[in-house]
Amino acid sequence: MSQKPWIHLPLREGQCSRQAHCDLPEGTYERELGREGFFGPVTQMHHQHPPTGWSHFEGPLRPHALDLTKLNSTLDCPWSVTPFLYNQDTAIRYWQLPKSMEHLVRNSDGDELLFIHQGQGDFFCDYGHLSITEGDYLVIPRGTAWRIETPQPVDILMIENKDGCYRLPDKGVTGYNAIYDPAVLDHPEINDQFKAQQDENEWQIRIKRLDAISTLTYPFNPLDAVGWHGTNTVVRLNWRDIRPLTSHRYHLPPSVHTTFVGQGFVVCTFCPRPIETDPDALKVPFFHNNDDFDEVIFYHQGNFFSRDHIDAGMITFHPCGFPHGPHPKALKKSQEDPHTFTNEVAVMIDTRRPLQMSSQAEQVDIKAYADSWKSPL
């Protein structure tokens, strides 16, 4: 039996609300000071001014907004794409595949998580065939050989898990079927399409190990399996099969939307959901520092209600310790004329260790983003 938390009473000082994210004292702005990425000890601080109301900004601890659509990442091989963010646990790439791959690839450095941002096609791997389309996640175990066939360009967010397997989040008291039922996970099949691509022509597998590329050449297609059994395989999940946890009276933390767990990071999916209807509940993401994790959000589609001037195909990067939250216009609207539903779809990556940004990413960095909280309420 898992250990249950003891009953304990939090300390109170001065003018404060009875509950987090609800019933804020009039004229105050709540900031969450939490540990372990919303899982650990936490305090709600009530300020007289917005925690993002700085007058000017200096130093390296600044937020970034990257327009990934402007990256030079249209290449036939994912290993030729430079990660735009990386650390010892993960490497994050944005790959624009222009046409069908004429070779296979294999990652011997870690598992890959592919998120299909645009396009569709067919995914062939050691385990068989899967169709893929916009909004799909593909979890690819380390050592799997694979390729994509497509009649049109495909844009893909790639998240490498360097030191472990991707796992499912702990769903706790919500139960096995919460968020998404594992029954919706699809696996590759040895079907007619898979058998039809098997041939005796020359094929290459480009293998990435320690970020160096080696090439194996075969006089036949090495995706020649006739069958398999086991528990280690590629799986597919589309964001439309995710049923997010919601509360009409409480703004739930981002961690409740965790989709996959890597080693040293988590991947969350923000899906369309109803906005909180309780008149005293916070209706936009709360101000916070995220004092143990770097926070990255990739914007897939929809209206990103807490951010101004952020479009599909862009990414925001808020380093650990940087105070952030809703932009002024979004906060004002939430107080005066709140939305009733969000239609945004976004992928969040929270990393325990600091992320480094590549020189290519710096070229598509929107420098004015750090000033985007300055607008008056």
Side-chain angles (χ1 to χ4, degrees), residues 194-210:
F194 183 70
K195 294 175 182 178
Q197 59 90 49
Q198 297 175 342
D199 59 34
E200 301 301 315
N201 298 323
E202 186 174 277
W203 282 88
Q204 291 182 345
I205 303 181
R206 300 179 187 177
I207 303 172
K208 183 173 79 72
R209 175 59 179 163
L210 300 178

Side-chain angles (χ1 to χ4, degrees), residues 52 54-57 328 370-376:
T52 55
W54 51 79
S55 58
H56 63 281
F57 199 100
D371 295 327
S372 58
W373 283 271
K374 284 187 178 180
S375 301

Side-chain angles (χ1 to χ4, degrees), residues 137-158:
Y137 284 107
L138 285 174
V139 180
I140 307 174
R142 178 197 298 254
T144 301
W146 58 272
R147 66 184 177 90
I148 293 174
E149 283 189 6
T150 176
Q152 59 188 356
V154 180
D155 290 4
I156 302 172
L157 180 71
M158 301 181 65

Side-chain angles (χ1 to χ4, degrees), residues 116-287:
I116 311 302
H117 175 51
Q118 291 182 349
Q120 59 186 10
D122 293 285
F123 179 85
F124 295 96
C125 67
D126 287 315
Y127 302 98
H129 163 263
L130 273 170
S131 61
I132 56 174
T133 191
E134 166 272 316
D136 279 342
Y137 284 107
L138 285 174
V139 180
I140 307 174
R142 178 197 298 254
T144 301
W146 58 272
R147 66 184 177 90
I148 293 174
E149 283 189 6
T150 176
Q152 59 188 356
V154 180
D155 290 4
I156 302 172
L157 180 71
M158 301 181 65
I159 308 166
E160 182 178 357
N161 185 14
K162 294 182 179 180
D163 187 28
C165 301
Y166 276 107
R167 301 173 185 267
L168 302 185
D170 180 3
K171 300 177 184 180
V173 296
T174 60
Y176 176 78
N177 304 112
I179 307 174
Y180 61 88
D181 188 331
V184 304
L185 297 173
D186 298 310
H187 67 268
E189 298 177 355
I190 297 185
N191 53 22
D192 290 342
Q193 283 178 271
F194 183 70
K195 294 175 182 178
Q197 59 90 49
Q198 297 175 342
D199 59 34
E200 301 301 315
N201 298 323
E202 186 174 277
W203 282 88
Q204 291 182 345
I205 303 181
R206 300 179 187 177
I207 303 172
K208 183 173 79 72
R209 175 59 179 163
L210 300 178
D211 289 325
I213 311 304
S214 302
T215 301
L216 295 181
T217 302
Y218 293 83
F220 56 87
N221 185 347
L223 299 186
D224 62 351
V226 296
W228 58 272
H229 60 93
T231 57
N232 182 44
T233 186
V234 172
V235 293
R236 178 187 64 193
L237 171 71
N238 192 280
W239 69 261
R240 294 170 179 83
D241 288 319
I242 297 173
R243 299 177 182 272
L245 296 179
T246 62
S247 169
H248 70 290
R249 299 199 66 205
Y250 174 74
H251 188 89
L252 296 171
S255 52
V256 80
H257 303 296
T258 301
T259 310
F260 299 106
V261 179
Q263 185 67 31
F265 66 96
V266 297
V267 178
C268 307
T269 311
F270 300 136
C271 297
R273 62 171 180 83
I275 296 288
E276 296 77 14
T277 55
D278 188 294
D280 294 320
L282 195 65
K283 297 173 177 60
V284 286
F286 43 84
F287 292 105

Side-chain angles (χ1 to χ4, degrees), residues 21 30-38 42-45 47 50-52 54 61 63 254 285-296 307 317-326 350-351:
H21 318 321
E30 179 194 64
R31 177 171 62 105
E32 179 165 297
L33 288 78
R35 304 302 306 276
E36 300 298 326
F38 309 105
V42 64
T43 287
Q44 309 302 326
M45 192 76 64
H47 295 277
T52 55
W54 51 79
L61 188 71
F286 43 84
F287 292 105
H288 64 287
N289 299 358
N290 209 346
D291 286 311
D292 288 306
F293 286 75
D294 279 3
E295 182 180 295
V296 175
R307 291 281 177 272
F317 169 30
H318 298 155
C320 173
F322 171 76
H324 58 282
D350 271 13
T351 66

